[in-house]
Amino acid sequence: MNWSKAKTVLIITFAILNVLLYLTIAKINKPQPQLLSRQDLYSIEEVLLQNNIILKTTIPQETEPMPLVKVTREIFDESFILENFIKSQKYEKYKENRYTIFKFEDKTIKVDGISFYYFEKNDKFKDMSSSQKEEYVQNFINNYHFKEINVQVEKISQGKEVKIKYFQTYKDYFIDGGWMEGKIDDKSFEFSKSWFGSVVMEKAKKEVINAAYALLKLVEIKTDAKPMVVKEIKLGYYFNWSSATKGEAVPVWRITTQDGNRYYINAYTGNFEEGK
């Protein structure tokens, strides 16, 4: 094999890809957003493939200007626990780091003001079917007034475990940064929640970057040689302050991989917000 010739071909190939990438990014960052051509999209996919990033979804093309969203977290404090769960029962209370922990009967509750965690261990779960376990989760949510309207629901049943996840939405956009989840198996039931009790969209709107530019950020973020398979890229909101009670959620492109990892790219600036 002529290694010198092969090396030259590789250098030329990468040079062409770099030029195409530069032209594509320049087009993406024009003040007035434009639809990318098939050649642009092909060039982007080639660059991603060169970095072992495989697309298993289409790249969204059309976007609209988006505002920031003001969010305020739901509060879970001692009075909430005493009023809704313990009432007149005997209980033990102590602090552990930022959490206040309540123990009564075979139950444990942990709160830190903006998040709630409940754990119950009981033999009654042993003989429950999957549908009964799912019903138990739903009844718990309804009985303790945790039910929300603007949600997307994901149900996972694996072996003896049933898990139901709730994702917050607003005007057809996801709002990540909070969660609600019920999990039950043959031995125990767990429930956790951290939610935005107030969501208000601001008036001023700004243009957002093209999804293709967000995908190209993966080249910068990716640190290993393992294949990364992208199964979804979607526009929505993300609040990247886990301990804050309120603030502004920013528009983001959320990139979800086949192994369940999520990467958030700021849709205003193109900066990497967070990924896991």
Side-chain angles (χ1 to χ4, degrees):
M1 181 176 181
N2 191 331
W3 290 106
S4 178
K5 184 177 180 180
K7 183 179 179 181
T8 302
V9 170
L10 283 173
I11 291 172
I12 293 172
T13 300
F14 280 114
I16 292 171
L17 286 174
N18 284 335
V19 171
L20 290 171
L21 179 58
Y22 172 80
L23 292 173
T24 300
I25 292 175
K27 182 181 291 187
I28 292 170
N29 287 322
K30 284 184 177 180
Q32 296 299 322
Q34 297 184 7
L35 293 180
L36 300 178
S37 68
R38 287 186 179 181
Q39 183 59 44
D40 291 331
L41 295 173
Y42 175 77
S43 301
I44 290 168
E45 290 184 18
E46 283 297 304
V47 172
L48 294 173
L49 280 173
Q50 289 289 336
N51 290 274
N52 219 5
I53 300 169
I54 303 152
L55 286 183
K56 292 293 184 181
T57 185
T58 55
I59 301 176
Q61 282 272 55
E62 297 183 2
T63 60
E64 295 181 354
M66 294 175 65
L68 293 168
V69 167
K70 289 184 178 180
V71 295
T72 303
R73 291 192 187 274
E74 190 175 354
I75 300 299
F76 302 102
D77 55 17
E78 182 172 347
S79 61
F80 173 82
I81 305 304
L82 295 176
E83 181 181 343
N84 292 281
F85 289 90
I86 295 176
K87 299 179 180 178
S88 60
Q89 299 179 75
K90 291 183 179 180
Y91 67 96
E92 177 188 357
K93 185 184 81 169
Y94 59 93
K95 294 284 291 186
E96 187 176 279
N97 298 321
R98 72 176 191 271
Y99 293 101
T100 301
I101 301 175
F102 301 84
K103 288 196 172 184
F104 55 104
E105 297 180 337
D106 53 358
K107 305 173 181 70
T108 301
I109 294 177
K110 295 167 61 175
V111 292
D112 65 353
I114 58 175
S115 68
F116 172 92
Y117 173 80
Y118 176 95
F119 177 82
E120 178 182 359
K121 188 174 183 179
N122 199 300
D123 290 337
K124 66 184 178 183
F125 304 123
K126 186 177 180 180
D127 298 321
M128 285 186 180
S129 64
S130 293
S131 60
Q132 288 173 325
K133 289 175 180 176
E134 184 177 325
E135 184 180 1
Y136 189 89
V137 175
Q138 299 288 2
N139 287 340
F140 180 88
I141 290 172
N142 293 334
N143 292 340
Y144 292 104
H145 312 293
F146 287 118
K147 187 176 181 180
E148 301 291 347
I149 298 174
N150 300 313
V151 297
Q152 288 182 336
V153 183
E154 178 183 300
K155 299 177 183 179
I156 303 170
S157 183
Q158 189 172 13
K160 297 179 179 180
E161 181 183 273
V162 172
K163 184 187 295 184
I164 306 178
K165 295 182 177 181
Y166 300 83
F167 302 96
Q168 192 163 2
T169 62
Y170 181 71
K171 294 186 181 296
D172 297 327
Y173 290 110
F174 66 81
I175 303 183
D176 285 359
W179 72 89
M180 183 163 67
E181 178 180 303
K183 183 171 67 175
I184 183 170
D185 57 23
D186 284 1
K187 297 179 180 179
S188 62
F189 166 65
E190 294 178 66
F191 177 84
S192 62
K193 185 181 184 184
S194 180
W195 207 257
F196 301 118
S198 171
V199 180
V200 179
M201 192 170 281
E202 296 186 358
K203 292 182 179 180
K205 296 183 178 182
K206 292 173 61 177
E207 297 286 352
V208 298
I209 63 169
N210 193 287
Y213 182 78
L215 283 167
L216 290 172
K217 288 293 289 185
L218 293 178
V219 176
E220 179 184 327
I221 295 165
K222 194 170 183 291
T223 57
D224 56 45
K226 296 179 181 178
M228 177 187 285
V229 180
V230 176
K231 71 173 186 178
E232 182 188 56
I233 176 165
K234 192 173 183 180
L235 192 60
Y237 286 92
Y238 182 53
F239 187 62
N240 190 17
W241 302 95
S242 59
S243 60
T245 57
K246 60 183 178 180
E248 291 178 326
V250 297
V252 293
W253 284 105
R254 184 182 69 191
I255 301 170
T256 307
T257 63
Q258 202 167 58
D259 55 8
N261 291 333
R262 289 180 171 182
Y263 300 88
Y264 297 93
I265 311 300
N266 190 305
Y268 285 161
T269 65
N271 293 331
F272 176 55
E273 288 286 328
E274 187 178 338
K276 55 184 178 179

